[in-house]
Amino acid sequence: MDSAFRTPPHPSTTDGAPRTVGVEVEFADLDAPAAAAVVRRLYGGALEPESPHRCRVTGTRLGDFSVELDMRSAHPGKADGGDSGAVGKALARALDGVVEALRPWWGNIGSLVMPFEIAAPPVPIARLAELEPLFAALSAQGAAGTEASPLFAFGLHLNPQVARTDADYLLDHLKAFLLLAPWLRREIRVDPTRRLTGFVAAFPVDYAVKVADPAYRPDLDGLIADYLEANPTRNRELDLFPLFAHLAPEIMAAKLRDPHVRPRPTFHYRLPNARLGDPGWTLAQDWNRWVAVEELAADRVRLDALGADFRAFAARKALDGWAAEAGRRLAG
């Protein structure tokens, strides 16, 4: 069982500050106030209920946590935005009272199939181990993870802050992820329900083959344009929409209108299961698998060699064997 958190090759940003990681975990069978109480007991701070399905825990030793039902319609003020005419606005005002009266019940219904989510504040990599007790404590209070029901397509999301924002750095990490994604899926044993829902869909093979080419070296605008053309959705194992929205807001605004996308200088890694209740699971396991991606990205010679081999496997229509090959190469 992994218990030590590995340090990535670039632990600091270009200004010398320690990189941080945001962690989000989804679960069921524990409501927002009860989950927030677990956070407060572990990390201190003040519990601030905002609705029956949303709480904040502020001023903890790590920063501010949020706990909420992961369904936009269960929360006042989180409905999708958008322009509407006078008639639409008048209708919306007329319905406000009805909608607000229904929201608590709506949230209760949604919680049967939609997860609650704890979003931790960005934590320095060196302090990630301080989040480990949270998962055991949630499980002890009855929180259910991915494997508790076929209806639970719950995930653990890691949001590592980028060390740099230049095209080469970002592209190397995308290349490394595409090359290791089949191995990651095998190691994580991604839950079948999560695969069926499409929230963590794999990148198209043609796109992966294109990006893996050692000769593929676009500038940042070209990288973003190619990504959007091949991936017009945030439902990817590694979602780069938040990062690109941070780096190129005008380009993203012209191509995308999605209120779920929050600009931030992080990789949004969504592949791991939320295995609450599994005594053999640790946050360190899934973090260390991500670090393997960063280690490959930092080794251009190895990255290009693996990219050429991946393309050769694809040309032979032998990608079913790539997960094992990637694992062998990592071990070697």
Side-chain angles (χ1 to χ4, degrees):
M1 180 189 300
D2 283 341
S3 58
F5 288 79
R6 286 161 55 186
T7 301
H10 301 287
S12 303
T13 62
T14 52
D15 62 4
R19 288 172 62 198
T20 61
V21 184
V23 176
E24 304 160 17
V25 63
E26 298 172 337
F27 55 90
D29 295 352
L30 194 65
D31 62 20
V38 171
V39 172
R40 183 185 183 187
R41 186 171 72 248
L42 288 174
Y43 305 109
L47 200 159
E48 300 178 3
E50 296 182 1
S51 82
H53 305 287
R54 185 200 298 167
C55 296
R56 299 177 71 234
V57 185
T58 60
T60 81
R61 71 169 191 262
L62 294 176
D64 296 346
F65 288 73
S66 66
V67 187
E68 64 181 6
L69 185 67
D70 192 13
M71 185 173 72
R72 297 177 68 81
S73 55
H75 307 303
K78 293 194 75 176
D80 291 356
D83 298 327
S84 60
V87 173
K89 291 177 180 177
L91 180 60
R93 285 194 297 270
L95 291 175
D96 272 352
V98 175
V99 171
E100 292 308 313
L102 287 175
R103 282 189 190 276
W105 295 101
W106 205 339
N108 287 331
I109 294 168
S111 67
L112 296 176
V113 293
M114 299 297 288
F116 280 90
E117 177 185 84
I118 291 180
V123 174
I125 291 171
R127 299 185 67 184
L128 271 175
E130 295 182 48
L131 288 177
E132 198 77 85
L134 175 62
F135 302 98
L138 289 171
S139 298
Q141 288 297 112
T146 317
E147 298 167 343
S149 166
L151 299 178
F152 292 172
F154 302 166
L156 170 76
H157 299 178
L158 302 177
N159 299 280
Q161 180 185 18
V162 296
R164 307 199 314 259
T165 57
D166 58 277
D168 278 342
Y169 172 87
L170 303 180
L171 178 58
D172 286 342
H173 283 74
L174 177 57
K175 284 175 179 277
F177 181 82
L178 292 170
L179 293 172
L180 295 186
W183 169 78
L184 288 167
R185 288 193 291 271
R186 186 187 70 173
E187 293 295 302
I188 292 168
R189 301 189 306 278
V190 179
D191 186 81
T193 303
R194 299 188 70 222
R195 294 200 301 267
L196 288 173
T197 59
F199 295 143
V200 289
F203 286 88
V205 172
D206 289 349
Y207 178 71
V209 170
K210 174 180 179 175
V211 176
D213 187 346
Y216 180 72
R217 282 285 155 191
D219 61 13
L220 183 59
D221 287 352
L223 173 61
I224 294 174
D226 287 348
Y227 183 95
L228 290 175
E229 181 178 1
N231 307 282
T233 173
R234 66 190 185 93
N235 293 333
R236 289 288 184 260
E237 303 159 318
L238 179 65
D239 172 21
L240 296 187
F241 277 12
L243 176 57
F244 290 158
H246 171 78
L247 296 176
E250 293 181 359
I251 293 175
M252 293 296 288
K255 296 284 187 179
L256 180 73
R257 187 176 182 84
D258 187 336
H260 295 81
V261 176
R262 292 180 294 147
R264 47 189 170 176
T266 65
F267 298 112
H268 186 36
Y269 174 49
R270 309 170 66 190
L271 194 56
N273 300 320
R275 291 166 49 196
L276 295 172
D278 180 348
W281 178 57
T282 65
L283 175 61
Q285 286 176 338
D286 283 307
W287 168 252
N288 290 343
R289 291 180 183 126
W290 169 259
V291 171
V293 173
E294 296 211 11
E295 289 172 342
L296 178 59
D299 187 340
R300 180 69 64 81
V301 172
R302 190 162 156 244
L303 182 67
D304 285 350
L306 212 59
D309 290 346
F310 176 83
R311 286 168 56 84
F313 268 65
R316 299 198 307 271
K317 301 189 184 302
L319 285 179
D320 285 349
W322 182 253
E325 175 66 13
R328 185 184 67 80
R329 300 280 286 273
L330 285 177

